[in-house]
Amino acid sequence: IGADGNHVDARFPVQWVIRPHSDKWHDFRGFAGRIAGGVFKPGDTVKVMPSGFESTIKAIHTMDGELEEAFAPMSVAITLNDEIDISRGDMLVKPNNPPEPRQDVEAMICWFSSDKKLSGRGKYVLRHSTKEVKAIVTEVRYKVNINTLHKIEDDLTFNHNDIGRISLRTSAPLIADSYSKNRITGSFILIDEMTNETVAAGMII
């Protein structure tokens, strides 16, 4: 559905830095990933988050050649006109509407695990787009009765398929939007550190 995609707010999470180290491409340094929102064109000014450095797009590369423009959900490699330290987990955005980095996250989650329960002060790995950080649950606010949509505030232990709202604190800032604004940059998963099991999916409020 066309309305599902955000083609206004430019978001490009960097998944990989391409350095061929070959004679033909000895000075090539491209940033590969899947565009999460907006439109990017050669010559556009972009800001690197979270560092805040700015540059302009030199070219947009694909397996079929260079493009005059790229937009979500295309997978491309972008080269810049300046040498900037960029790594996996960083994000290219437009300077006029960057997302606000946040370490305190409010989210609605769906709990997946059938043998582990969510409770306050639980520690997890949070995977958001191409970035991974450690996170701790600072508060379990409420669960939702899926039949009546009423809040449940007297039983805050999440079991399999429970839905509700929690607060998280992350070890590093997330370059995130609200889920209502961008479904890609507004979503995440929680992973159990010991088992590597995905225990929940979340939507950032």
Side-chain angles (χ1 to χ4, degrees):
I1 302 172
D4 281 355
N6 184 329
H7 298 295
V8 176
D9 304 302
R11 306 285 187 263
F12 182 74
V14 176
Q15 183 176 353
W16 195 253
V17 181
I18 302 175
R19 296 296 298 268
H21 298 294
S22 65
D23 293 336
K24 182 179 180 182
W25 302 97
H26 63 90
D27 60 347
F28 185 90
R29 187 164 180 258
F31 307 103
R34 187 181 187 190
I35 298 173
V39 179
F40 292 88
K41 299 178 181 179
D44 284 353
T45 300
V46 292
K47 175 185 282 190
V48 182
M49 301 290 288
S51 69
F53 291 117
E54 294 188 10
S55 183
T56 54
I57 296 176
K58 182 178 181 180
I60 301 173
H61 304 264
T62 68
M63 290 291 290
D64 300 319
E66 296 185 8
L67 301 178
E68 291 301 315
E69 68 173 15
F71 48 85
M74 297 172 65
S75 295
V76 299
I78 293 177
T79 54
L80 303 178
N81 284 310
D82 300 283
E83 286 288 331
I84 300 176
D85 185 19
I86 301 173
S87 58
R88 176 183 172 89
D90 291 347
M91 188 180 294
L92 302 183
V93 302
K94 296 290 181 66
N96 62 329
N97 62 349
E100 189 71 31
R102 61 182 86 183
Q103 281 185 267
D104 294 301
V105 178
E106 293 288 321
M108 296 295 294
I109 65 163
C110 178
W111 191 253
F112 290 162
S113 179
S114 56
D115 57 347
K116 292 182 176 65
K117 298 181 180 181
L118 172 73
S119 57
R121 312 307 296 178
K123 297 179 181 179
Y124 304 93
V125 172
L126 186 152
R127 181 175 296 165
H128 169 260
S129 185
T130 59
K131 189 177 184 67
E132 279 191 6
V133 296
K134 292 187 176 182
I136 184 170
V137 178
T138 55
E139 185 178 358
V140 181
R141 294 187 177 273
Y142 59 81
K143 293 196 300 185
V144 176
N145 183 317
I146 62 172
N147 296 310
T148 65
L149 300 184
H150 290 162
K151 295 179 182 179
I152 303 172
E153 298 178 330
D154 55 348
D155 177 15
L156 297 180
T157 301
F158 278 59
N159 297 299
H160 188 220
N161 285 341
D162 278 345
I163 295 172
R165 179 169 173 172
I166 65 171
S167 302
L168 295 159
R169 174 77 175 177
T170 60
S171 59
L174 296 183
I175 312 302
D177 298 292
S178 65
Y179 186 81
S180 61
K181 186 175 184 179
N182 189 309
R183 291 176 59 181
I184 299 174
T185 59
S187 60
F188 63 87
I189 59 173
L190 293 179
I191 302 168
D192 184 274
E193 288 185 288
M194 302 300 294
T195 64
N196 208 35
E197 175 191 5
T198 300
V199 293
M203 298 174 291
I204 295 172
I205 302 172

